[in-house]
Amino acid sequence: MQHLPNLSETLTAFHSDLNRIQTMAGTLSQLDRQHYNDLTKYDDERLTGIAVAEQNSSRQLGEIKQLCLAMAQKIEEIQQSMGQK
């Protein structure tokens, strides 16, 4: 099959990109969590509102991280079934 080398390279690139996205999402999630902790130390409604937004952002980034991990795992399974790893 002529398209398999391209598929192999594409899967490898997807896997690498998913790992990068997962790392970025994890880092940003940690920063948002820290911002939440920092902002909730003050008795200010506006800062509390910002803190809640940071907390929601942290959760969403955590979900993105988990999705990336699951997709990267699926790509590894496909590569193994193709005899690439």
Side-chain angles (χ1 to χ4, degrees):
M1 295 174 122
Q2 291 178 344
H3 68 283
L4 281 182
N6 257 353
L7 179 60
S8 173
E9 291 171 11
T10 300
L11 289 173
T12 299
F14 283 167
H15 190 269
S16 176
D17 290 344
L18 284 168
N19 283 334
R20 287 179 57 219
I21 293 167
Q22 176 267 324
T23 300
M24 287 185 268
T27 300
L28 291 171
S29 178
Q30 288 176 342
L31 286 173
D32 284 347
R33 224 173 298 127
Q34 185 60 48
H35 290 164
Y36 172 82
N37 291 336
D38 291 345
L39 291 168
T40 54
K41 292 177 184 176
Y42 304 100
D43 188 27
D44 183 308
E45 280 187 43
R46 288 176 47 201
L47 290 179
T48 300
I50 295 169
V52 169
E54 290 288 308
Q55 185 180 44
N56 290 333
S57 176
S58 176
R59 275 193 216 118
Q60 291 173 343
L61 286 163
E63 289 179 30
I64 290 170
K65 178 181 175 179
Q66 292 304 312
L67 288 170
C68 288
L69 288 170
M71 287 187 286
Q73 177 62 39
K74 192 55 95 172
I75 288 173
E76 286 180 22
E77 291 170 9
I78 292 168
Q79 288 177 315
Q80 287 176 356
S81 73
M82 294 171 55
Q84 293 179 4
K85 283 196 167 188

Coordinates of all heavy atoms in Angstrom, one line a residue:
M1 N 0.8 -1.2 0.0 CA 0.0 0.0 0.0 C 0.9 1.2 0.0 O 1.7 1.4 0.9 CB -0.9 0.0 1.2 CG -1.9 -1.1 1.3 SD -2.8 -1.0 2.8 CE -4.4 -0.8 2.3
Q2 N 0.7 2.1 -1.0 CA 1.6 3.3 -1.1 C 1.3 4.3 -0.1 O 2.2 5.1 0.3 CB 1.4 3.8 -2.5 CG 1.9 3.0 -3.6 CD 1.7 3.6 -4.9 OE1 0.9 4.5 -5.1 NE2 2.4 3.1 -5.9
H3 N 0.1 4.4 0.4 CA -0.3 5.5 1.3 C 0.2 5.2 2.8 O 0.1 6.1 3.6 CB -1.7 5.8 1.3 CG -2.6 4.7 1.8 ND1 -2.9 3.6 1.1 CD2 -3.3 4.6 3.0 CE1 -3.7 2.8 1.8 NE2 -3.9 3.4 3.0
L4 N 0.6 4.0 3.1 CA 1.0 3.7 4.5 C 2.2 4.5 5.0 O 2.1 4.9 6.2 CB 1.2 2.2 4.6 CG 0.0 1.3 4.8 CD1 0.4 -0.1 4.9 CD2 -0.9 1.8 5.9
P5 N 3.2 4.8 4.2 CA 4.3 5.6 4.8 C 3.8 7.0 5.2 O 4.1 7.5 6.2 CB 5.3 5.7 3.7 CG 5.1 4.4 2.9 CD 3.6 4.2 3.0
N6 N 2.9 7.6 4.4 CA 2.3 8.9 4.7 C 1.4 8.8 5.9 O 1.4 9.6 6.8 CB 1.4 9.4 3.5 CG 2.1 10.4 2.7 OD1 3.2 10.9 3.1 ND2 1.5 10.8 1.7
L7 N 0.7 7.7 6.1 CA -0.2 7.5 7.2 C 0.7 7.3 8.5 O 0.4 7.9 9.5 CB -1.1 6.2 7.0 CG -2.0 5.9 8.2 CD1 -3.0 7.0 8.5 CD2 -2.7 4.6 7.9
S8 N 1.8 6.6 8.4 CA 2.7 6.5 9.5 C 3.2 7.8 9.9 O 3.2 8.1 11.1 CB 3.8 5.5 9.1 OG 4.8 5.5 10.1
E9 N 3.7 8.6 9.0 CA 4.2 9.9 9.3 C 3.1 10.8 9.9 O 3.4 11.6 10.9 CB 4.8 10.6 8.1 CG 6.1 9.9 7.6 CD 6.5 10.4 6.3 OE1 6.0 11.5 5.8 OE2 7.4 9.8 5.7
T10 N 1.9 10.7 9.4 CA 0.8 11.5 9.8 C 0.4 11.2 11.3 O 0.3 12.0 12.1 CB -0.4 11.4 8.9 OG1 0.0 11.8 7.6 CG2 -1.6 12.2 9.4
L11 N 0.4 9.9 11.5 CA 0.0 9.4 12.9 C 1.1 9.9 13.9 O 0.8 10.3 15.0 CB -0.2 7.9 12.9 CG -1.4 7.4 12.2 CD1 -1.4 5.8 12.2 CD2 -2.7 7.9 12.9
T12 N 2.3 9.8 13.5 CA 3.4 10.2 14.4 C 3.4 11.7 14.6 O 3.5 12.1 15.8 CB 4.8 9.8 13.7 OG1 4.9 8.4 13.6 CG2 6.0 10.3 14.6
A13 N 3.1 12.5 13.6 CA 2.9 13.9 13.8 C 1.7 14.2 14.7 O 1.8 15.1 15.6 CB 2.8 14.6 12.4
F14 N 0.6 13.6 14.5 CA -0.6 13.8 15.3 C -0.3 13.4 16.8 O -0.6 14.2 17.7 CB -1.8 12.9 14.9 CG -2.5 13.4 13.7 CD1 -3.4 12.6 13.0 CD2 -2.3 14.7 13.2 CE1 -4.1 13.0 11.9 CE2 -3.0 15.2 12.1 CZ -3.9 14.3 11.4
H15 N 0.4 12.3 17.0 CA 0.8 11.9 18.3 C 1.7 12.9 19.0 O 1.4 13.3 20.2 CB 1.5 10.5 18.3 CG 1.7 9.9 19.6 ND1 2.8 10.1 20.4 CD2 0.9 9.1 20.3 CE1 2.7 9.4 21.5 NE2 1.5 8.8 21.5
S16 N 2.6 13.4 18.3 CA 3.5 14.5 18.8 C 2.8 15.7 19.2 O 3.0 16.3 20.2 CB 4.7 14.7 17.8 OG 5.5 15.8 18.3
D17 N 1.9 16.2 18.3 CA 1.1 17.4 18.5 C 0.2 17.2 19.7 O 0.0 18.2 20.5 CB 0.3 17.8 17.2 CG 1.2 18.3 16.1 OD1 2.4 18.6 16.4 OD2 0.8 18.3 15.0
L18 N -0.4 16.1 19.8 CA -1.3 15.8 20.9 C -0.5 15.9 22.3 O -1.0 16.4 23.3 CB -2.0 14.5 20.8 CG -3.2 14.4 19.8 CD1 -3.6 13.0 19.5 CD2 -4.3 15.3 20.3
N19 N 0.7 15.3 22.3 CA 1.5 15.4 23.5 C 1.8 16.8 23.8 O 1.8 17.2 25.0 CB 2.8 14.6 23.3 CG 2.5 13.1 23.5 OD1 1.5 12.7 24.1 ND2 3.3 12.3 22.8
R20 N 2.1 17.7 22.8 CA 2.4 19.1 23.0 C 1.2 19.8 23.6 O 1.3 20.6 24.5 CB 2.9 19.7 21.7 CG 4.3 19.3 21.3 CD 4.8 19.9 20.0 NE 4.7 21.4 20.1 CZ 4.3 22.2 19.2 NH1 3.9 21.7 18.0 NH2 4.4 23.5 19.3
I21 N 0.1 19.6 23.0 CA -1.2 20.2 23.4 C -1.5 19.8 24.9 O -1.9 20.6 25.7 CB -2.4 19.9 22.5 CG1 -2.1 20.5 21.1 CG2 -3.7 20.3 23.1 CD1 -3.1 20.0 20.1
Q22 N -1.3 18.5 25.2 CA -1.6 18.0 26.5 C -0.6 18.7 27.5 O -1.1 19.1 28.6 CB -1.3 16.5 26.5 CG -1.5 15.8 27.8 CD -0.2 15.6 28.6 OE1 0.9 15.4 28.0 NE2 -0.2 15.8 29.9
T23 N 0.6 18.8 27.2 CA 1.6 19.5 28.1 C 1.2 21.0 28.3 O 1.2 21.4 29.4 CB 3.0 19.4 27.5 OG1 3.4 18.0 27.4 CG2 4.0 20.1 28.4
M24 N 0.8 21.6 27.2 CA 0.4 23.1 27.4 C -0.9 23.2 28.2 O -1.0 24.1 29.1 CB 0.2 23.7 26.0 CG 1.5 23.9 25.2 SD 1.1 24.8 23.7 CE 1.0 23.4 22.6
A25 N -1.8 22.3 27.9 CA -3.1 22.4 28.7 C -2.8 22.1 30.2 O -3.4 22.8 31.0 CB -4.1 21.4 28.1
G26 N -2.0 21.2 30.5 CA -1.6 20.9 31.9 C -1.0 22.0 32.6 O -1.3 22.4 33.7
T27 N -0.1 22.7 31.9 CA 0.6 23.8 32.4 C -0.3 25.0 32.7 O -0.3 25.6 33.7 CB 1.8 24.3 31.5 OG1 2.7 23.2 31.3 CG2 2.5 25.5 32.0
L28 N -1.2 25.3 31.7 CA -2.1 26.4 31.8 C -3.1 26.1 32.9 O -3.5 27.0 33.7 CB -2.8 26.6 30.5 CG -1.9 27.2 29.4 CD1 -2.7 27.2 28.1 CD2 -1.5 28.6 29.8
S29 N -3.5 24.8 33.0 CA -4.5 24.4 34.1 C -3.9 24.7 35.4 O -4.5 25.2 36.4 CB -4.9 22.9 33.9 OG -5.7 22.5 34.9
Q30 N -2.6 24.3 35.6 CA -1.9 24.6 36.9 C -1.8 26.0 37.2 O -2.1 26.5 38.3 CB -0.5 23.9 36.9 CG -0.5 22.4 36.9 CD 0.9 21.9 36.8 OE1 1.8 22.6 36.4 NE2 1.0 20.6 37.2
L31 N -1.5 26.9 36.2 CA -1.5 28.3 36.4 C -2.8 28.9 36.8 O -2.9 29.7 37.7 CB -1.0 29.0 35.1 CG 0.5 28.9 34.8 CD1 0.8 29.4 33.4 CD2 1.3 29.5 35.8
D32 N -3.9 28.4 36.1 CA -5.2 28.9 36.5 C -5.6 28.5 37.9 O -6.2 29.2 38.6 CB -6.3 28.3 35.5 CG -6.3 29.0 34.1 OD1 -5.6 30.1 34.1 OD2 -6.9 28.6 33.2
R33 N -5.2 27.3 38.3 CA -5.5 26.8 39.6 C -4.8 27.7 40.7 O -5.3 28.1 41.7 CB -5.0 25.3 39.8 CG -6.0 24.5 40.5 CD -5.7 23.0 40.6 NE -5.7 22.5 39.2 CZ -4.7 21.8 38.7 NH1 -3.6 21.5 39.4 NH2 -4.7 21.4 37.4
Q34 N -3.5 28.0 40.3 CA -2.8 28.9 41.2 C -3.4 30.3 41.3 O -3.5 30.9 42.3 CB -1.3 29.0 40.8 CG -0.4 29.8 41.7 CD -0.4 29.2 43.1 OE1 -0.2 28.1 43.3 NE2 -0.6 30.1 44.1
H35 N -3.8 30.8 40.1 CA -4.5 32.1 40.1 C -5.8 32.1 41.0 O -6.0 33.0 41.7 CB -4.9 32.5 38.7 CG -3.7 32.8 37.8 ND1 -3.8 32.9 36.4 CD2 -2.4 33.1 38.1 CE1 -2.7 33.2 35.9 NE2 -1.8 33.3 36.9
Y36 N -6.5 31.0 40.9 CA -7.7 30.8 41.7 C -7.3 30.9 43.2 O -7.9 31.7 44.0 CB -8.4 29.5 41.4 CG -9.5 29.2 42.4 CD1 -10.8 29.8 42.2 CD2 -9.3 28.4 43.5 CE1 -11.8 29.6 43.1 CE2 -10.4 28.2 44.4 CZ -11.6 28.8 44.2 OH -12.6 28.6 45.1
N37 N -6.3 30.2 43.6 CA -5.9 30.2 45.0 C -5.4 31.6 45.4 O -5.7 32.0 46.5 CB -4.8 29.2 45.2 CG -5.3 27.7 45.1 OD1 -6.4 27.5 45.3 ND2 -4.4 26.8 44.7
D38 N -4.7 32.3 44.5 CA -4.2 33.6 44.9 C -5.3 34.6 45.0 O -5.3 35.4 45.9 CB -3.2 34.1 43.8 CG -1.9 33.3 43.8 OD1 -1.6 32.6 44.8 OD2 -1.1 33.4 42.8
L39 N -6.3 34.5 44.1 CA -7.4 35.5 44.0 C -8.4 35.3 45.2 O -9.0 36.3 45.6 CB -8.1 35.5 42.7 CG -7.2 36.0 41.5 CD1 -7.9 35.6 40.2 CD2 -7.0 37.5 41.6
T40 N -8.5 34.1 45.6 CA -9.5 33.9 46.7 C -9.0 34.3 48.1 O -9.7 34.2 49.0 CB -10.0 32.4 46.7 OG1 -8.9 31.5 46.8 CG2 -10.8 32.1 45.5
K41 N -7.8 34.7 48.2 CA -7.2 35.1 49.4 C -7.7 36.5 49.8 O -7.6 36.9 51.0 CB -5.7 35.2 49.4 CG -5.0 33.9 49.2 CD -3.5 34.0 49.1 CE -2.9 32.7 48.9 NZ -1.4 32.8 48.6
Y42 N -8.3 37.2 48.9 CA -8.8 38.6 49.1 C -10.3 38.6 49.3 O -11.0 37.8 48.7 CB -8.4 39.5 48.0 CG -6.9 39.5 47.7 CD1 -6.3 38.7 46.7 CD2 -6.0 40.2 48.6 CE1 -5.0 38.7 46.5 CE2 -4.6 40.1 48.4 CZ -4.1 39.4 47.3 OH -2.8 39.3 47.1
D43 N -10.8 39.5 50.1 CA -12.2 39.7 50.3 C -12.7 40.7 49.3 O -13.0 41.9 49.7 CB -12.5 40.1 51.7 CG -13.9 40.0 52.1 OD1 -14.7 39.3 51.4 OD2 -14.3 40.8 53.0
D44 N -12.8 40.3 48.0 CA -13.3 41.3 47.0 C -14.1 40.5 46.0 O -13.7 39.5 45.4 CB -12.0 41.9 46.3 CG -12.4 42.9 45.3 OD1 -13.2 42.6 44.4 OD2 -11.8 44.0 45.3
E45 N -15.3 40.9 45.8 CA -16.3 40.2 44.9 C -15.8 40.1 43.5 O -16.0 39.1 42.9 CB -17.7 40.9 45.0 CG -18.5 40.6 46.2 CD -19.9 41.1 46.1 OE1 -20.5 41.1 45.0 OE2 -20.4 41.7 47.1
R46 N -15.2 41.2 43.0 CA -14.7 41.2 41.6 C -13.6 40.2 41.5 O -13.5 39.4 40.5 CB -14.2 42.6 41.2 CG -15.4 43.5 41.0 CD -15.0 45.0 40.7 NE -13.9 45.0 39.7 CZ -13.1 46.0 39.5 NH1 -13.2 47.1 40.3 NH2 -12.2 46.0 38.6
L47 N -12.7 40.1 42.5 CA -11.6 39.1 42.4 C -12.1 37.7 42.5 O -11.6 36.8 41.9 CB -10.5 39.4 43.5 CG -9.7 40.7 43.3 CD1 -8.7 40.9 44.4 CD2 -9.0 40.7 41.9
T48 N -13.1 37.6 43.4 CA -13.8 36.2 43.5 C -14.4 35.8 42.2 O -14.3 34.6 41.8 CB -14.8 36.2 44.6 OG1 -14.1 36.6 45.9 CG2 -15.4 34.9 44.8
G49 N -15.0 36.7 41.5 CA -15.6 36.4 40.2 C -14.5 36.0 39.2 O -14.7 35.0 38.4
I50 N -13.4 36.7 39.2 CA -12.3 36.3 38.3 C -11.7 35.0 38.7 O -11.4 34.1 37.9 CB -11.2 37.4 38.4 CG1 -11.7 38.7 37.8 CG2 -9.9 36.9 37.6 CD1 -10.8 39.9 38.0
A51 N -11.7 34.7 40.0 CA -11.2 33.4 40.5 C -12.0 32.3 40.0 O -11.5 31.2 39.6 CB -11.1 33.4 42.1
V52 N -13.4 32.5 40.1 CA -14.3 31.4 39.6 C -14.1 31.1 38.1 O -14.1 30.0 37.7 CB -15.7 31.8 39.9 CG1 -16.7 30.8 39.3 CG2 -16.0 31.8 41.5
A53 N -13.9 32.2 37.4 CA -13.6 32.0 35.9 C -12.3 31.3 35.7 O -12.2 30.4 34.8 CB -13.5 33.4 35.2
E54 N -11.3 31.6 36.5 CA -10.0 30.8 36.4 C -10.2 29.3 36.8 O -9.6 28.5 36.2 CB -9.0 31.4 37.4 CG -8.5 32.8 37.0 CD -7.6 32.8 35.7 OE1 -6.6 32.0 35.8 OE2 -7.9 33.5 34.8
Q55 N -11.0 29.1 37.8 CA -11.3 27.7 38.2 C -12.0 27.0 37.1 O -11.7 25.8 36.8 CB -12.2 27.7 39.5 CG -12.4 26.3 40.0 CD -13.2 26.4 41.3 OE1 -14.2 27.1 41.3 NE2 -12.8 25.7 42.3
N56 N -13.0 27.6 36.4 CA -13.7 27.0 35.3 C -12.7 26.7 34.1 O -12.7 25.6 33.5 CB -14.8 27.8 34.8 CG -16.0 27.8 35.8 OD1 -16.1 26.9 36.6 ND2 -16.7 28.9 35.8
S57 N -11.8 27.7 33.9 CA -10.8 27.5 32.8 C -9.9 26.3 33.2 O -9.6 25.5 32.3 CB -10.0 28.8 32.7 OG -9.0 28.6 31.8
S58 N -9.5 26.2 34.4 CA -8.6 25.1 34.8 C -9.3 23.8 34.6 O -8.7 22.8 34.1 CB -8.3 25.3 36.3 OG -7.5 24.2 36.8
R59 N -10.6 23.7 34.9 CA -11.3 22.4 34.7 C -11.4 22.1 33.2 O -11.1 20.9 32.8 CB -12.7 22.5 35.2 CG -12.8 22.2 36.7 CD -14.3 22.0 37.1 NE -14.4 22.6 38.4 CZ -15.2 23.6 38.8 NH1 -16.0 24.2 37.9 NH2 -15.2 24.0 40.0
Q60 N -11.7 23.1 32.4 CA -11.7 22.8 31.0 C -10.4 22.4 30.4 O -10.3 21.5 29.5 CB -12.3 24.0 30.2 CG -13.8 24.3 30.5 CD -14.3 25.6 30.0 OE1 -13.5 26.5 29.6 NE2 -15.6 25.7 29.9
L61 N -9.4 23.0 30.8 CA -8.0 22.7 30.3 C -7.7 21.3 30.8 O -7.0 20.5 30.1 CB -7.0 23.7 30.8 CG -7.0 25.0 30.1 CD1 -6.3 26.1 30.9 CD2 -6.5 24.9 28.7
G62 N -8.1 20.9 32.0 CA -7.9 19.5 32.5 C -8.6 18.5 31.6 O -8.0 17.4 31.3
E63 N -9.8 18.9 31.2 CA -10.5 18.0 30.2 C -9.8 17.9 28.9 O -9.7 16.8 28.3 CB -11.9 18.5 30.1 CG -12.8 18.3 31.3 CD -14.2 18.8 31.1 OE1 -14.7 18.8 29.9 OE2 -14.8 19.3 32.1
I64 N -9.3 19.0 28.4 CA -8.5 19.0 27.2 C -7.3 18.1 27.3 O -7.0 17.3 26.4 CB -8.1 20.4 26.7 CG1 -9.3 21.2 26.3 CG2 -7.1 20.4 25.6 CD1 -9.1 22.7 26.1
K65 N -6.6 18.2 28.4 CA -5.5 17.3 28.7 C -5.8 15.8 28.6 O -5.2 15.0 28.0 CB -4.9 17.7 30.0 CG -3.7 16.8 30.4 CD -3.1 17.2 31.8 CE -2.0 16.2 32.2 NZ -1.4 16.6 33.5
Q66 N -7.0 15.5 29.3 CA -7.4 14.1 29.3 C -7.8 13.6 27.9 O -7.5 12.5 27.5 CB -8.6 13.9 30.3 CG -8.1 14.1 31.7 CD -7.0 13.1 32.1 OE1 -7.0 11.9 31.8 NE2 -6.0 13.7 32.7
L67 N -8.5 14.5 27.1 CA -8.8 14.1 25.8 C -7.6 13.9 24.9 O -7.5 12.9 24.1 CB -9.7 15.2 25.1 CG -11.1 15.4 25.6 CD1 -11.7 16.6 25.1 CD2 -11.9 14.1 25.2
C68 N -6.6 14.7 25.1 CA -5.3 14.5 24.3 C -4.7 13.2 24.7 O -4.2 12.5 23.8 CB -4.4 15.7 24.5 SG -4.9 17.2 23.7
L69 N -4.6 12.9 26.0 CA -4.0 11.7 26.4 C -4.8 10.5 25.8 O -4.1 9.5 25.3 CB -4.0 11.6 27.9 CG -3.1 12.5 28.7 CD1 -3.3 12.5 30.2 CD2 -1.6 12.0 28.4
A70 N -6.1 10.5 25.8 CA -6.9 9.4 25.3 C -6.7 9.3 23.7 O -6.5 8.2 23.2 CB -8.4 9.6 25.5
M71 N -6.6 10.4 23.0 CA -6.4 10.3 21.6 C -5.0 9.9 21.3 O -4.8 9.1 20.3 CB -6.6 11.7 21.0 CG -8.1 12.1 20.9 SD -8.4 13.6 20.0 CE -7.9 14.8 21.1
A72 N -4.0 10.3 22.0 CA -2.6 9.8 21.8 C -2.5 8.3 22.1 O -1.8 7.6 21.3 CB -1.6 10.6 22.8
Q73 N -3.2 7.8 23.1 CA -3.2 6.4 23.3 C -3.9 5.6 22.2 O -3.4 4.6 21.8 CB -4.0 6.1 24.6 CG -4.1 4.6 24.9 CD -2.8 3.9 25.2 OE1 -1.9 4.5 25.8 NE2 -2.7 2.7 24.7
K74 N -4.9 6.2 21.6 CA -5.6 5.5 20.5 C -4.7 5.5 19.3 O -4.6 4.5 18.6 CB -6.9 6.3 20.2 CG -7.8 5.6 19.2 CD -8.2 4.2 19.7 CE -9.5 4.2 20.4 NZ -9.9 2.8 20.7
I75 N -3.9 6.6 19.1 CA -3.0 6.6 18.0 C -1.9 5.5 18.2 O -1.5 4.8 17.2 CB -2.4 8.0 17.8 CG1 -3.4 8.9 17.2 CG2 -1.1 7.9 16.9 CD1 -3.0 10.4 17.1
E76 N -1.4 5.4 19.4 CA -0.4 4.3 19.7 C -1.0 3.0 19.4 O -0.3 2.1 18.8 CB 0.0 4.4 21.1 CG 0.9 5.6 21.4 CD 1.3 5.6 22.9 OE1 1.3 4.6 23.6 OE2 1.7 6.7 23.4
E77 N -2.3 2.7 19.7 CA -2.9 1.4 19.5 C -3.0 1.2 18.0 O -2.7 0.1 17.5 CB -4.3 1.4 20.1 CG -4.3 1.3 21.6 CD -5.7 1.5 22.2 OE1 -6.7 1.5 21.5 OE2 -5.7 1.7 23.4
I78 N -3.3 2.2 17.2 CA -3.4 2.1 15.7 C -2.0 1.8 15.2 O -1.9 0.9 14.3 CB -4.0 3.4 15.1 CG1 -5.5 3.5 15.5 CG2 -3.8 3.4 13.6 CD1 -6.1 4.9 15.2
Q79 N -1.0 2.5 15.7 CA 0.3 2.3 15.2 C 0.8 0.9 15.5 O 1.4 0.2 14.7 CB 1.3 3.3 15.8 CG 1.1 4.7 15.2 CD 2.0 5.7 15.8 OE1 2.1 5.8 17.1 NE2 2.6 6.6 15.0
Q80 N 0.5 0.4 16.7 CA 0.9 -1.0 17.1 C 0.1 -2.0 16.2 O 0.7 -3.0 15.8 CB 0.5 -1.2 18.5 CG 1.5 -0.5 19.5 CD 1.1 -0.7 20.9 OE1 0.1 -1.2 21.3 NE2 2.0 -0.1 21.8
S81 N -1.1 -1.8 15.9 CA -1.8 -2.7 15.0 C -1.3 -2.7 13.6 O -1.4 -3.7 12.9 CB -3.3 -2.4 15.0 OG -3.6 -1.2 14.3
M82 N -0.7 -1.6 13.2 CA 0.0 -1.5 11.9 C 1.4 -2.0 11.9 O 2.1 -2.1 10.9 CB 0.0 -0.1 11.4 CG -1.4 0.5 11.2 SD -1.4 2.3 10.8 CE -0.3 2.4 9.5
G83 N 1.9 -2.4 13.1 CA 3.2 -3.0 13.3 C 4.3 -1.9 13.2 O 5.4 -2.2 12.8
Q84 N 4.0 -0.7 13.7 CA 5.0 0.4 13.6 C 5.8 0.6 14.9 O 6.8 1.2 14.8 CB 4.2 1.7 13.3 CG 3.6 1.8 11.9 CD 2.9 3.1 11.7 OE1 2.9 4.0 12.5 NE2 2.3 3.2 10.6
K85 N 5.3 0.1 16.0 CA 6.1 0.4 17.2 C 6.5 -0.9 17.8 O 5.9 -1.9 17.8 CB 5.2 1.2 18.2 CG 5.2 2.6 17.8 CD 4.7 3.4 19.0 CE 5.0 4.9 18.7 NZ 4.7 5.7 19.8

